[in-house]
Amino acid sequence: MPAGTHLTNHSTRRTKWRKVWLAFHLYLGLSTGLVFVLAGLTGSLLVFYVELDEILNPALHVSTTQARQQAQSYEAVFQAIRQAHPERNASWRLEMPRHNQAMLMARYYKPAEKTGLSFAPLIVWVNPYTSEVVSSRFWGEFAMTWLFDLHYALLLDGTGKTLMGIIGLLLLIPLLSGIYLWWPATGKLRQALSIKRGASRARFIFDLHKTQGVYSFPVLLLLLVSGAILELPAVFKPLINHLSPLYRAEANRSPYQAGYSRISLDQAAATAESLYPEAVLRWIETPDGQEGAYRIMLYQQGEPSFRFPKTTVWVDQYSGAVLSTRNPRLERIGDTFMNWLHPLHNGEIAGMAGRLLVFVSGFIPAILYVTGIVRWLQKRRARRLQMIKTG
């Protein structure tokens, strides 16, 4: 076969494949892209959702004067919560305040009012210096948690999470096909990475679309992959577990002893802190029933998430004995990968710089969607004018 014929066939095949990937890029981008825009914009706000919730609810701030006082014991705070909600006898999970003017937040995961929903806890805010219950609200019924449900589940609970996970995987196609379609010929890399000065409006829109897509590609790829895995744990966890066995908590039950009362939250926390003296206490989960155990979560330096650390100690609610522990520093690569997902997704893993990067990246899908639609309409208009001229 002559060399020229071979090159012609190669060029023809490349052109055909380019048309196929262009079709995927266009139609999946136009359809699933709307969800990408929604997830991006809501995700940007959720990077700072705790801070924004405090701004939207000034009552959740502790006064400067009170912040100088001695904090109440964890047991006193818990008793105030129980007094405010005496009918809620299952486990409570108390999150330590983020700073000295923040409220202590407690979650009750099994409210009867939300039976049937996969995640809709009652959230209670308590002043840690006075033990005053300041606010009690259900997840999803105030701004930032409603936004959270919109981002992760399109307000459709479990079904929505599955749908978002599938859409996240589908969005990988226009993202990867965009890189394929952009890939420059030899010697044209600089041109492909820049916006041409003084170009026509059509060229400017095209250059803006391609450069935004290329420069944001690593972050958008990371957000889509991590988001899909977080949305579809039933699909991905077995696969990860097969490659690297994941941590499984023991039963951790407290042998019930009639006549014995449980130890205080402060005693349970002190037991956990004695095992990890350099760690920071973050959560205290109270026993669920007569055989339940305390679950104490602490942050060790180097963990990817300060708010949701994995260092855990289970404590017998009667004897105060340590039932078991979890130390993420000693875990396999599979657990390390899973522990990194959420901090990667919200940027926490890189501190404020990482959070700001994810915040800014959340606006990129909207830019890509708008410029993509404008570019598509421009090309349609150009084709119509060409047909009129040739017709």
Side-chain angles (χ1 to χ4, degrees), residues 187-224:
K188 294 187 177 182
L189 179 61
R190 184 175 180 179
Q191 178 183 336
L193 292 172
S194 61
I195 296 176
K196 186 177 181 181
R197 293 183 179 181
S200 65
R201 182 172 180 269
R203 177 58 186 266
F204 172 75
I205 293 295
F206 172 71
D207 284 351
L208 182 62
H209 184 78
K210 72 175 184 181
T211 54
Q212 291 295 306
V214 169
Y215 286 121
S216 64
F217 173 76
V219 178
L220 294 183
L221 180 65
L222 175 64
L223 293 175
L224 283 175

Side-chain angles (χ1 to χ4, degrees), residues 109-132:
Y109 284 98
K110 301 177 182 179
E113 297 90 338
K114 299 296 179 178
T115 300
L117 294 179
S118 60
F119 186 81
L122 171 68
I123 304 181
V124 178
W125 284 263
V126 188
N127 187 318
Y129 302 98
T130 65
S131 295
E132 174 192 1

Side-chain angles (χ1 to χ4, degrees), residues 61-73 77 97 99-104 126-132:
H61 285 276
V62 173
S63 69
T64 305
T65 302
Q66 287 181 335
R68 297 194 188 102
Q69 300 175 11
Q70 180 69 34
Q72 297 286 308
S73 67
V77 170
H99 51 80
N100 64 354
Q101 286 190 262
M103 294 286 172
L104 183 147
V126 188
N127 187 318
Y129 302 98
T130 65
S131 295
E132 174 192 1

Side-chain angles (χ1 to χ4, degrees), residues 304 343-344 346-357:
L344 279 170
N346 65 13
E348 181 189 2
I349 198 165
M352 183 55 70
R355 297 173 74 191
L356 288 173
L357 176 61

Side-chain angles (χ1 to χ4, degrees), residues 254-255 257 260-263 267 271 294 315-323:
S254 299
Q257 303 178 55
Y260 283 76
S261 58
R262 66 169 178 82
I263 62 174
Q267 290 173 295
T271 297
Y294 282 104
V315 180
D316 187 303
Q317 67 166 301
Y318 303 111
S319 68
V322 173
L323 298 174

